Amino acid sequence: RPSSWSLWSAYQISKRADEMRSLARSLKSKGDFETVATQVCSNLFMEMPGNECIGREPMLEEMYALMQDDSVSMVGIHGMAGVGKSTLLHAFHNGMVSRMAHPDIIICAEMPDDDGCDSEEELQISVINQLRLPLQEKATKKDRAAALFTTLNRKKFLLIIDNLWAPINLGAVGFPCSASALRRSRSKIVLATCNEEVCDRMDVRKKMRVECLPWESSWALFQGKAAGAELVGSSSEMQA
């Protein structure tokens, strides 16, 4: 026999679902989100500028393979600051864009360093701007969440979030990110953080740690980035 607590929880969930459906219907009547979702902005499939990703080829190949693994919906990249997580994500994003079997929508967002900002709202506005959703100026956070949910719910999307310092409620932002929803659409979420605990608190099952590059790769990176291969190669002192 169900407890009074479970019945109350079920009632609250049902009530919340009714509210979200009502809000989605209202927003859909004001904006043509289906057209926006179908005719995705071309800039969502443009490669981003970034540093050359040296020595991370095995990790990149593993990430590409995970995008085809239906048992994995969320991937967490973690490692200390400055180790190369952002460079890895840029290379991964560009690789996904260039592949024929890419998702319907690729969204890439970098979170600000400011601890005092509303991370959910920052991410929400960033994604809405990328999708160019036709929202009114006075749209509330719930309005924006409903618009995002309506747009993405039937799409196979890839969400890449860089520089995540604290856990974030992606459902509140508007992403259809329940385990069942992600499996149904075969959508993927990839996030990068300095703190492995962020992955754990967001229930990320597949975690990948970015370690410091080995000496050979570090030297190749230094040659190409810091001084130029020809200059470094001509100096026996620098090679020593």
Side-chain angles (χ1 to χ4, degrees):
R1 181 181 178 181
S3 66
S4 58
W5 172 253
S6 62
L7 289 173
W8 174 251
S9 298
Y11 167 74
Q12 290 290 86
I13 293 172
S14 176
K15 182 180 178 183
R16 176 61 176 161
D18 288 339
E19 291 175 352
M20 291 300 291
R21 279 194 293 268
S22 176
L23 186 56
R25 283 194 294 269
S26 174
L27 285 167
K28 188 174 180 180
S29 67
K30 300 175 183 177
D32 189 4
F33 299 117
E34 290 299 326
T35 301
V36 173
T38 302
Q39 301 174 348
V40 180
C41 307
S42 60
N43 68 325
L44 294 177
F45 296 100
M46 293 177 63
E47 293 189 11
M48 299 188 305
N51 297 324
E52 184 180 3
C53 191
I54 296 176
R56 303 296 187 191
E57 291 80 6
M59 291 195 75
L60 276 172
E61 289 305 316
E62 183 178 359
M63 292 172 71
Y64 294 141
L66 289 171
M67 297 302 100
Q68 305 302 318
D69 187 343
D70 291 340
S71 68
V72 176
S73 297
M74 295 183 68
V75 179
I77 309 298
H78 63 96
M80 67 180 186
V83 79
K85 299 184 297 298
S86 295
T87 300
L88 177 65
L89 283 190
H90 283 161
F92 169 70
H93 171 273
N94 291 345
M96 289 299 296
V97 167
S98 65
R99 293 182 175 230
M100 293 296 293
H102 58 57
D104 299 324
I105 300 175
I106 300 178
I107 304 166
C108 193
E110 182 175 358
M111 304 306 296
D113 292 327
D114 184 8
D115 292 336
C117 72
D118 185 335
S119 298
E120 292 180 5
E121 188 169 28
E122 289 284 341
L123 177 59
Q124 199 177 60
I125 293 174
S126 173
V127 175
I128 284 174
N129 287 339
Q130 289 182 57
L131 296 178
R132 299 179 184 174
L133 296 187
L135 289 177
Q136 298 178 352
E137 283 188 23
K138 295 183 179 180
T140 66
K141 189 174 180 179
K142 287 185 178 180
D143 294 338
R144 295 191 295 267
L148 278 178
F149 186 88
T150 302
T151 301
L152 298 175
N153 191 36
R154 301 296 180 184
K155 294 294 179 181
K156 178 182 179 182
F157 65 86
L158 168 61
L159 171 64
I160 303 172
I161 310 176
D162 192 15
N163 198 39
L164 193 58
W165 289 89
I168 190 170
N169 186 343
L170 294 175
V173 173
F175 290 100
C177 60
S178 67
S180 59
L182 291 174
R183 282 196 302 269
R184 183 181 65 249
S185 65
R186 300 187 68 208
S187 296
K188 306 288 185 181
I189 298 171
V190 179
L191 59 89
T193 177
C194 291
N195 189 354
E196 185 179 0
E197 185 182 351
V198 172
C199 299
D200 296 332
R201 292 177 62 183
M202 293 185 65
D203 200 26
V204 175
R205 302 301 174 86
K206 177 58 181 179
K207 297 184 291 185
M208 300 176 66
R209 182 175 181 83
V210 181
E211 304 283 0
C212 293
L213 287 171
W215 187 90
E216 294 82 1
S217 297
S218 298
W219 177 246
L221 181 63
F222 176 73
Q223 283 182 305
K225 185 177 180 181
E230 294 182 2
L231 177 61
V232 176
S234 66
S235 173
S236 58
E237 291 183 3
M238 292 186 73
Q239 291 184 358

